Amino acid sequence: MTNKYCSVKPALNAGLRQVFIETYGCQMNVNDSEVVLSILQPHGYSLCNSIKEADLILINTCSIRDNAEQRIWGRLDIFRLEKKKRKGVVVGILGCMAERLKEDLLNHTAVDIVAGPDSYRELPQLIASLTGGGKQINTILSQEETYADISPVRMDKNGVSSYISIMRGCNNMCTYCVVPYVRGAERSRDPKSIVKEAEELFGNGYREVTLLGQNVDSYNWVNPENPTEKTDFARLLEMVALIDPKLRVRFSTSHPKDMGDSVLYTMAMYPNICKHVHLPVQSGSDAVLAKMNRKYTRESYLRRVAKIREVLPDCSISTDIITGFCGESEEDHLETLSIMREVGYYTAYMFQYSERPNTKAARHYPDDVPAEVKSRRLSEVIQVHGEISLASNQKDLGKVFEVLVEGYSKRSKAELTGRSSQNKVVVFPAGNHKVGDYVNVKIERCTPATLIGTEIIK
Ligand code: SF4
């Protein structure tokens, strides 16, 4: 779970109205905030970096876990105080929580606008309609909206790595997940608009794009004017990789039931497609996977991993894990620990199960693993994660990786940090290099989270 605040300096033109956008949740939400800024700019809004300067405060929300929503309720109380101090400030709630809670959010005294993920084009209209002192809401989900024609205004900090949404929504209906309810059905974006966006980023100095979707492997664009013309994810990856060998291409998230061999062969063919797959396992137990409606088994998941290793021997694999899902027994939990060791993930996002209202799990399965058991199991998962990520990094000692420089290390301006193709963080002495350079680094030391080395001239 991330919490990103915009960092672009406010415009000097005092005539412009200022918007502050606060974004919670996944990278897709960050990208959506960039789309929102792009929609607002022609209407006279410029980004600022404090609610104290803002005429319009937008909070792009996440509903994936209860604690994410609780933080947003807390922020609304802060915004209410700001509105008391400065009359005329407008507060809008965007994203998944807006879609899930609708009028319940609108009833909060701080909130003027509630806009779901498919109604961002309507924001200028919703703002303009506030003049009578009322509130505005639009949470209509769309079958078509992909914001394909909108070039997001980038808010990232490094100017090197950026994200491109290639699809919206999800059709999978995992029983614990709120996404299909709040982001709607899956829609694929026109590949030409994706390639154009990636070309523009490359032209503006970016050297890495990550193609984003809830399930990128089911990307499937069909030309509405010629239904025989189709583009699948492997082809899209290739189209983006062909823009320039110096543009790295990443993608997330893959679904174990859908990741086809053609994607792996395409990754093998192009050195600039990064050798990293994020393959959420969620649990190592077949009983839990079935209850989660993940539509794969432990065995079929491990077959996918074996295929990745066969086609891409130097590929790293990361994952997501939920501990304490409904009915999870101690044996189920041990199977999760064992699959973690068997795959040897280099990193993982690990969470306790958090029941989300109206999901199938909430309606049909008791949330019956006691909180202290969930917490203890999560600690064990985190401990195994520490062991296997250290072991994964130790295997890299002595190897040389091409690193794309993203910035200075946290500890010193004399060191740079970047990532290898495998998505591992690498730190090395800066020399004469700068952000955006590719540098070959030989790995000499490591921690569970970082590879440390020095440049070598090949
Ligand atoms: S694949 Fe499952 S977990 Fe992922 S967004 Fe879709 S429903 Fe949620």
Side-chain angles (χ1 to χ4, degrees), residues 159 170-171 179 197 222 237 302 344 346 370 388 406 416:
C170 184
N171 289 346
V179 166
E197 193 174 325
V222 181
L237 257 187
L302 289 172
Y346 85 94
I388 62 176
E406 295 176 3
L416 290 171

Side-chain angles (χ1 to χ4, degrees), residues 67-191:
N67 61 4
E69 291 195 352
Q70 294 309 323
R71 286 167 73 189
I72 287 155
W73 286 114
R75 290 299 287 161
L76 290 183
D77 292 335
I78 307 275
F79 299 160
R80 176 169 43 201
L81 295 177
E82 192 61 28
K83 285 181 70 158
K84 264 193 189 155
K85 279 188 245 160
R86 294 190 298 124
K87 294 280 173 245
V89 172
V90 169
V91 172
I93 312 294
L94 316 178
C96 296
M97 197 172 158
E99 190 63 45
R100 193 178 87 71
L101 293 174
K102 299 181 171 64
E103 278 80 9
D104 289 351
L105 271 170
L106 205 61
N107 290 336
H108 191 286
T109 50
V111 178
D112 302 293
I113 293 171
V114 171
D118 290 344
S119 57
Y120 299 150
R121 286 179 201 271
E122 304 303 318
L123 273 171
Q125 184 57 41
L126 293 172
I127 296 163
S129 304
L130 289 172
T131 45
K135 299 185 175 215
Q136 293 291 324
I137 182 166
N138 185 334
T139 53
I140 298 167
L141 287 175
S142 158
Q143 299 283 331
E144 287 96 31
E145 181 61 271
T146 60
Y147 300 109
D149 56 317
I150 292 175
S151 284
V153 178
R154 301 295 164 183
M155 295 188 202
D156 60 83
K157 296 197 176 104
N158 66 18
V160 171
S161 321
S162 197
Y163 295 83
I164 301 178
S165 292
I166 63 165
M167 57 205 298
R168 298 181 76 80
C170 184
N171 289 346
N172 277 317
M173 307 304 284
C174 300
T175 54
Y176 53 82
C177 184
V178 77
V179 166
Y181 304 96
V182 294
R183 314 247 346 161
E186 187 179 281
R187 291 141 275 164
S188 297
R189 179 179 164 190
D190 186 334

Side-chain angles (χ1 to χ4, degrees), residues 348-399:
Y349 298 93
M350 301 157 284
F351 299 99
Q352 291 181 38
Y353 172 60
S354 161
E355 185 180 274
R356 307 310 298 128
N358 299 322
T359 55
K360 182 168 179 192
R363 285 181 278 122
H364 297 284
Y365 308 139
D367 183 8
D368 54 1
V369 178
E372 65 277 10
V373 175
K374 279 184 188 169
S375 167
R376 190 255 304 157
R377 287 180 187 167
L378 179 61
S379 303
E380 289 171 7
V381 163
I382 290 170
Q383 191 190 331
V384 170
H385 171 258
E387 291 162 18
I388 62 176
S389 49
L390 181 62
S392 166
N393 280 356
Q394 282 168 338
K395 283 190 198 150
D396 291 334
L397 295 177
K399 291 184 188 168

